[in-house]
RNA sequence: GGCCCCAUCGUCUAACGGCUAGGACACCAGGUUUUCAUCCUGGCAAUAGGGGUUCGAUUCCCCUUGGGGUCACCA
């Protein structure tokens, strides 16, 4: 293992709503870098746009991170609580002659933009004529006086990146409402918080030269930059977004996904460790993750793969008692009166067909409730519909007679069911289906012997009687 | 439009410049004493195109094409 300096990373969402899988993946990667180096992970809230802020999102974001198990060491730190800090830094730039009050009105600027667009040229603002460099009184937007030049820099994910001087312009540092822009605030904060790795989504690549220019003006050494490829919406080439129906990460919590599986899935969206391994525990991720191995291209979000992975975690990676503890909120209402032992048995026999806990009610309801006879299960059954009601009745009577003698252990039931097969000369597709339908009234259920054993003798025989009565 | 970035099965991905381009999801078929599922076996399916460099390119270089990002008093 190579020695690693403790990294300080941050996740800096704006409180404009919920977090979807793309946002959580960004947080995850930043968190992994901090954890694997023994450093700190900071949660910072970028709430400098009061208009777009959505009430309650800060709590919601924290709940989301907590659910997946991403714990922050510092924060949440709100930028809106730090306005005097940005003002102080802005003042320094003004003193140095590296910032000036915007000489134009919003309307005039919009005009410039429209002209640039009509001429199919990029809009750049960097007119340093003396009459433009106005004194700032704090009530106007404050612009950075840029020093356009070419840059070449190393990105931890993208590798070497470079641009010419033409991409740098005099961007706004402070808005007229007294709040800083993202472009300014994040640089001040990252410096003040001693952030070592800025890990964020790829849309910021184009702005990095401007940031580099500002770092220079501020006399700061830039942190390591790591630009993450997008998580793409399924079926398209656009990045996943709330507008395209990206779900709140907490919706997955509500559907009974496991946070470990979610993390495993997100980590392998755009990253792998150069092997064919695809199941990673969180501890393995902390150990093996590396920014260098992140792909440069976007990765599509495939919910079917998430489902498969969650099912895999449910049946292979979680201990039965732990799994049961996590299933608590998902049982059907009818299960309320049943004790934990009974439910544990039901879960044990059901887990292999469970992809997420929200499926629990439909998969297990017949273990808990009284059943209404559904004649279609027999009339629609490929094999059973060929038999006369009297034949079905005769078969069920035989089954009942044998089961009445059983102690209803799985072993004994299995043995009796096999004997019955021989004695009646029936195919399992007929005999077992009939008993299964009689005792569960469900189109699908777990293995017959195991199901009967959980149902118990009284209830199983009672259901067979009900089915017999219905076959008249 | 300028600038920047990206490109292996439908999807997630593997392949010191060197086997018939591998695995997984999904899908299809078969098997395991019923159903659904699990599990096992098999199948379908990719290096965007064109030039180089090389004994040999998925891999390195160039061009084309395609896709994406960005050009806000949003982050």
């Amino acid at each position: 293992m190579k020695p690693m300096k403790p990294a300080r990373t941050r996740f800096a969402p704006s409180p404009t709503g919920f977090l979807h899988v793309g946002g959580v993946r960004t947080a995850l990667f930043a968190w992994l870098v901090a954890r694997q180096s023994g450093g700190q992970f900071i949660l910072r809230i970028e709430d400098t746009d009061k208009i777009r802020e959505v009430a309650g999102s800060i709590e919601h974001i924290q709940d989301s991170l907590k659910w997946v198990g991403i714990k922050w060491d510092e924060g949440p730190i709100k930028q809106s609580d730090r306005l005097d800090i940005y003002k102080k830094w802005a003042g320094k730039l003004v003193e140095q002659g590296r910032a000036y009050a915007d000489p134009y009105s919003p309307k005039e600027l919009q005009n410039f933009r429209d002209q640039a667009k009509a001429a199919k040229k990029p809009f750049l603002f960097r007119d340093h004529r003396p009459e433009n460099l106005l004194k700032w009184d704090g009530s106007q937007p404050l612009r950075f006086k840029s020093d356009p030049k070419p840059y070449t820099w190393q990105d931890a994910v993208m590798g070497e990146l470079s641009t010419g001087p033409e991409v740098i312009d005099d961007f706004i540092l402070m808005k007229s409402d007294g709040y800083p822009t993202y472009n300014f605030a994040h640089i001040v904060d990252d410096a003040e918080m001693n952030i070592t790795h800025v890990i964020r989504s790829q849309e910021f690549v184009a702005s990095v030269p401007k940031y580099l220019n500002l770092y220079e003006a501020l006399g700061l050494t830039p942190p390591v930059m790591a630009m993450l490829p997008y998580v793409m919406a399924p079926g398209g080439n656009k990045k996943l977004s709330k507008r395209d129906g990206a779900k709140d990460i907490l919706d997955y919590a509500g559907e009974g996904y496991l946070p470990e599986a979610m993390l495993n899935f997100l980590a392998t969206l755009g990253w792998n460790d150069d092997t064919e391994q695809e199941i990673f525990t969180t501890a393995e991720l902390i150990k093996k993750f590396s920014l260098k191995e992140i792909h440069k291209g976007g990765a599509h979000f495939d919910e079917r793969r998430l489902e498969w992975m969650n099912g895999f975690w449910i049946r292979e990676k979680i201990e039965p008692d732990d799994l049961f503890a996590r299933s608590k909120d998902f049982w059907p209402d009818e299960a309320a009166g049943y004790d934990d032992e009974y439910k544990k048995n039901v879960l044990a026999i059901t887990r292999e067909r469970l992809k997420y806990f929200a499926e629990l009610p439909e998969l297990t309801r017949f273990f808990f409730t009284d059943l209404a006879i559904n004649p279609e299960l027999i009339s629609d059954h490929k094999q059973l519909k060929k038999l006369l009601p009297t034949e079905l009745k005769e078969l069920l009577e035989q089954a009942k007679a044998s089961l009445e003698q059983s102690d209803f252990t799985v072993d004994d039931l299995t043995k009796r069911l096999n004997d019955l097969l021989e004695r009646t000369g029936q195919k399992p597709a007929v005999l077992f289906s009939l008993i299964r339908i009689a005792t569960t009234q469900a189109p699908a259920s777990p293995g017959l012997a195991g199901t009967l054993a959980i149902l118990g003798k009284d209830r199983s025989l009672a259901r067979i009687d009900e089915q017999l009565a219905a076959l008249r």
Side-chain angles (χ1 to χ4, degrees), chain A residues 16 35 57 152 158 258 270 330 342 352 364 375 380 383 398 438:
Chain A
T16 52
R35 278 290 162 279
S57 15
T152 298
M158 302 301 292
L258 302 172
F330 295 92
Y342 186 83
E352 73 182 24
T364 66
D380 289 351
Q383 313 274 346
Q398 286 192 52

Side-chain angles (χ1 to χ4, degrees), chain A residues 14 21 48 133 173 252 274 303 340 435 455:
Chain A
S14 59
V21 292
T48 56
L133 303 180
L173 303 171
Y252 292 100
D274 291 343
E303 201 167 62
D340 284 359
I435 302 172
L455 247 20

Side-chain angles (χ1 to χ4, degrees), chain A residues 265-465:
Chain A
F265 171 76
L266 291 178
T268 52
L269 251 195
W271 170 83
N272 95 321
D273 69 341
D274 291 343
T275 72
E276 289 185 349
Q277 181 174 351
E278 51 195 342
I279 301 298
F280 294 90
T281 63
T282 304
E284 281 177 308
L285 289 176
I286 291 172
K287 199 165 148 194
K288 298 185 173 181
F289 179 76
S290 157
L291 290 172
K292 278 198 202 81
E293 294 159 341
I294 294 176
H295 301 160
K296 296 180 180 180
H300 289 85
F301 172 63
D302 183 359
E303 201 167 62
R304 290 173 305 181
R305 190 172 168 81
L306 207 213
E307 276 188 10
W308 163 77
M309 196 170 274
N310 202 65
F312 185 88
W313 271 82
I314 283 178
R315 79 183 95 91
E316 305 271 348
K317 303 288 281 184
I318 307 285
E319 293 304 313
D321 283 348
D322 187 10
L323 194 69
F324 176 68
R326 295 162 187 250
S327 73
K328 281 254 159 42
D329 295 338
F330 295 92
W331 291 92
D333 295 341
E334 296 87 342
Y338 290 79
D339 63 32
D340 284 359
E341 278 315 303
Y342 186 83
K343 285 193 270 188
K344 276 185 189 177
N345 289 335
V346 172
L347 183 61
I349 203 175
T350 303
R351 73 189 298 191
E352 73 182 24
R353 69 206 62 214
L354 197 59
K355 291 201 285 294
Y356 46 91
F357 287 131
E359 296 178 319
L360 216 41
E362 71 164 288
L363 254 26
T364 66
R365 189 162 273 118
F366 56 82
F367 281 112
F368 303 105
T369 184
D370 291 334
L371 303 176
I373 298 289
N374 180 356
E376 288 179 3
L377 289 172
I378 287 177
S379 64
D380 289 351
H381 192 279
K382 265 196 295 257
Q383 313 274 346
L384 295 182
K385 69 180 177 188
K386 295 177 191 165
L387 299 182
L388 299 169
T390 50
E391 295 175 298
L392 294 171
K393 223 175 153 178
E394 170 60 25
L395 273 178
L396 253 194
E397 290 285 7
Q398 286 192 52
K400 181 185 169 188
S402 173
L403 294 178
E404 276 173 338
Q405 308 301 316
S406 175
D407 61 5
F408 269 67
T409 58
V410 174
D411 284 351
D412 185 66
L413 286 164
T414 304
K415 189 170 162 296
R416 283 174 185 281
L417 256 14
N418 287 340
D419 290 348
L420 219 42
L421 219 44
E422 266 183 53
R423 237 177 323 126
T424 60
Q426 273 298 349
K427 289 184 290 188
V430 171
L431 181 67
F432 290 174
S433 291
L434 180 59
I435 302 172
R436 197 187 66 73
I437 288 169
T439 50
T440 66
Q441 297 296 326
S445 68
L448 187 52
T451 301
L452 292 176
I454 291 175
L455 247 20
K457 188 166 188 173
D458 293 349
R459 179 175 249 173
S460 297
L461 292 174
R463 288 182 176 179
I464 288 174
D465 280 336

Side-chain angles (χ1 to χ4, degrees), chain A residues 11 18 22 37 49 58 81 106 110 116 144 182 199 226 254 261 278 285 291 293 319 347 353 369 375 422 444 467:
Chain A
F11 177 57
F18 59 81
S37 67
D49 186 344
I58 297 179
D81 292 336
Q110 190 54 48
F144 175 50
Y182 166 83
I199 298 165
E278 51 195 342
L285 289 176
L291 290 172
E293 294 159 341
E319 293 304 313
L347 183 61
R353 69 206 62 214
T369 184
E422 266 183 53
Q467 183 66 263

Side-chain angles (χ1 to χ4, degrees), chain A residues 81-91 184 188-189 192:
Chain A
D81 292 336
R82 300 163 55 80
L83 296 185
D84 45 341
I85 294 174
Y86 310 117
K87 252 169 224 157
K88 189 186 79 192
W89 284 68
F184 182 49
V188 169
D189 286 334
E192 293 240 347

Side-chain angles (χ1 to χ4, degrees), chain A residues 14-158:
Chain A
S14 59
T16 52
F18 59 81
L19 245 36
H20 60 61
V21 292
V24 175
R25 191 194 60 164
T26 301
L28 169 64
F29 286 175
W31 179 73
L32 289 173
V33 168
R35 278 290 162 279
Q36 68 181 188
S37 67
Q40 295 83 39
F41 174 70
I42 294 128
L43 177 60
R44 187 171 75 214
I45 304 297
E46 312 238 317
D47 60 341
T48 56
D49 186 344
K50 293 177 297 183
I51 293 162
R52 301 208 322 171
E53 186 162 339
V54 175
S57 15
I58 297 179
E59 293 71 25
H60 199 86
I61 287 166
Q62 294 183 77
D63 289 344
S64 300
L65 294 178
K66 278 182 198 162
W67 175 63
V68 288
I70 295 180
K71 296 196 182 80
W72 53 95
D73 304 297
E74 297 170 29
I77 298 167
K78 289 165 69 175
Q79 289 182 321
S80 58
D81 292 336
R82 300 163 55 80
L83 296 185
D84 45 341
I85 294 174
Y86 310 117
K87 252 169 224 157
K88 189 186 79 192
W89 284 68
K92 273 200 269 183
L93 284 169
V94 170
E95 273 174 37
Q96 295 165 18
R98 292 304 304 272
Y100 59 95
D102 193 336
Y104 294 110
S105 70
K107 263 182 203 151
E108 287 172 307
L109 286 170
Q110 190 54 48
N111 253 332
F112 293 144
R113 254 193 293 281
D114 292 344
Q115 284 169 24
K117 193 165 187 184
K120 301 202 167 195
K121 290 196 164 176
F123 173 63
L124 289 171
F125 190 103
R126 50 180 187 196
D127 188 344
H128 293 168
R129 284 175 301 174
E131 62 265 37
N132 274 344
L133 303 180
L134 302 182
K135 194 163 160 19
W136 186 53
D137 66 14
S139 71
Q140 317 101 312
L142 181 70
R143 281 190 185 273
F144 175 50
K145 188 184 167 203
S146 64
D147 175 20
K149 57 169 83 164
Y151 280 102
T152 298
W153 72 98
Q154 285 298 127
D155 184 279
V157 171
M158 302 301 292

